[in-house]
Amino acid sequence: MALADIEPVSRESTAAIIARQLREAIMNGTFAPGTQLGETELAGRFQVSRGPLREAMQRLVSEGLLRSERHRGLFVIDLEPDDVHDIYSARFAIERAALIRVLRHGDREGLALRLLDAVEEMASATDGDEVSAADVRFHEELVAASGSKRLGRMARTLLIETRMCLSALHRTYATNEERVTEHKRIAEAIGAGDEELAVSLLEAHMEDAVQRLAPGTSLHA
């Protein structure tokens, strides 16, 4: 194919726009795990025909965010204890590797400042969505600081399920203070260059989330 034969990329399709908005609604908990998605209601909400809506919903089925039940319809996936365990085990492996790489070869002080900035956002958040967004930013900063494209790519594949977990996790805290403190201590350990403490705190942070979301399940079970 010659360069002249390459055609301009078309605008985002209606189905793609709907899929993106549904994906965001699932991530932030607007559509909680187990929620049934009705075509009639959603077509009315999006003010579209059922054709692009069905195409969008099938995209999310292929992504694993929706499940189809025969004669019943489409439902947001449930995060079972095994799912929670898998998500946080994978996250810990990725973030531990990133943390060690930063502490041994990166700008740990610069990272600590960015992490503490995310902690401040978390502390001043006024609702669960803002808390979760700051939480995501904290962990994204940690992975990005490693400079590893592969760690970043692996972390991004877990983003939607991570956001789903964080939305559910927010409801398990009586106040925001404990969540803020956990993240602040990790940031301070990184700033101090204490690898053993930072890894230990990160592990305890992930273990606590697993226990909250799937009681009786352990990160290392």
Side-chain angles (χ1 to χ4, degrees):
M1 176 184 290
L3 185 60
D5 295 328
I6 297 176
E7 298 180 358
V9 176
S10 60
R11 293 180 181 178
E12 190 175 22
S13 69
T14 300
I17 294 171
I18 295 171
R20 175 163 47 79
Q21 293 189 35
L22 287 175
R23 199 178 292 114
E24 181 65 30
I26 291 171
M27 284 195 295
N28 65 27
T30 299
F31 294 135
T35 300
Q36 183 174 13
L37 300 186
E39 282 189 10
T40 302
E41 179 186 357
L42 287 175
R45 183 178 299 185
F46 285 113
Q47 297 185 347
V48 296
S49 65
R50 295 195 181 190
L53 176 63
R54 286 174 178 166
E55 181 182 340
M57 294 171 82
Q58 284 306 311
R59 290 189 186 194
L60 299 193
V61 169
S62 66
E63 292 173 13
L65 295 179
L66 297 179
R67 56 182 169 81
S68 177
E69 291 191 12
R70 188 175 178 84
H71 303 308
R72 294 193 64 203
L74 296 176
F75 297 79
V76 177
I77 60 166
D78 293 292
L79 291 177
E80 303 294 341
D82 284 349
D83 297 315
V84 172
H85 176 269
D86 283 351
I87 292 164
Y88 278 90
S89 291
R91 285 187 58 200
F92 177 61
I94 293 166
E95 294 186 30
R96 180 182 182 277
L99 187 156
I100 291 172
R101 184 164 175 159
V102 172
L103 288 178
R104 295 181 183 178
H105 309 292
D107 178 14
R108 61 177 176 80
E109 293 179 348
L111 172 60
L113 289 175
R114 293 192 296 277
L115 295 181
L116 289 171
D117 186 51
V119 169
E120 286 298 317
E121 285 186 11
M122 196 180 302
S124 61
T126 58
D127 59 39
D129 287 348
E130 290 182 0
V131 172
S132 294
D135 197 328
V136 167
R137 181 193 162 193
F138 181 99
H139 294 278
E140 286 181 332
E141 291 280 9
L142 173 56
V143 175
S146 72
S148 169
K149 294 179 180 178
R150 289 168 182 80
L151 290 177
R153 189 162 60 240
M154 287 187 287
R156 284 192 294 275
T157 65
L158 295 167
L159 180 59
I160 294 177
E161 291 171 313
T162 295
R163 286 278 300 273
M164 291 174 70
C165 286
L166 292 177
S167 293
L169 191 63
H170 180 70
R171 297 191 288 273
T172 71
Y173 286 91
T175 69
N176 199 27
E177 184 176 353
E178 185 178 355
R179 195 168 176 181
V180 168
T181 300
E182 287 180 10
H183 288 83
K184 184 176 181 181
R185 291 181 67 200
I186 295 170
E188 290 173 342
I190 291 172
D194 192 330
E195 180 180 313
E196 183 177 355
L197 178 59
V199 170
S200 177
L201 290 171
L202 179 65
E203 182 177 11
H205 174 59
M206 297 288 186
E207 177 69 38
D208 179 67
V210 171
Q211 292 286 343
R212 288 173 180 274
L213 293 172
T217 304
S218 174
L219 185 65
H220 300 294

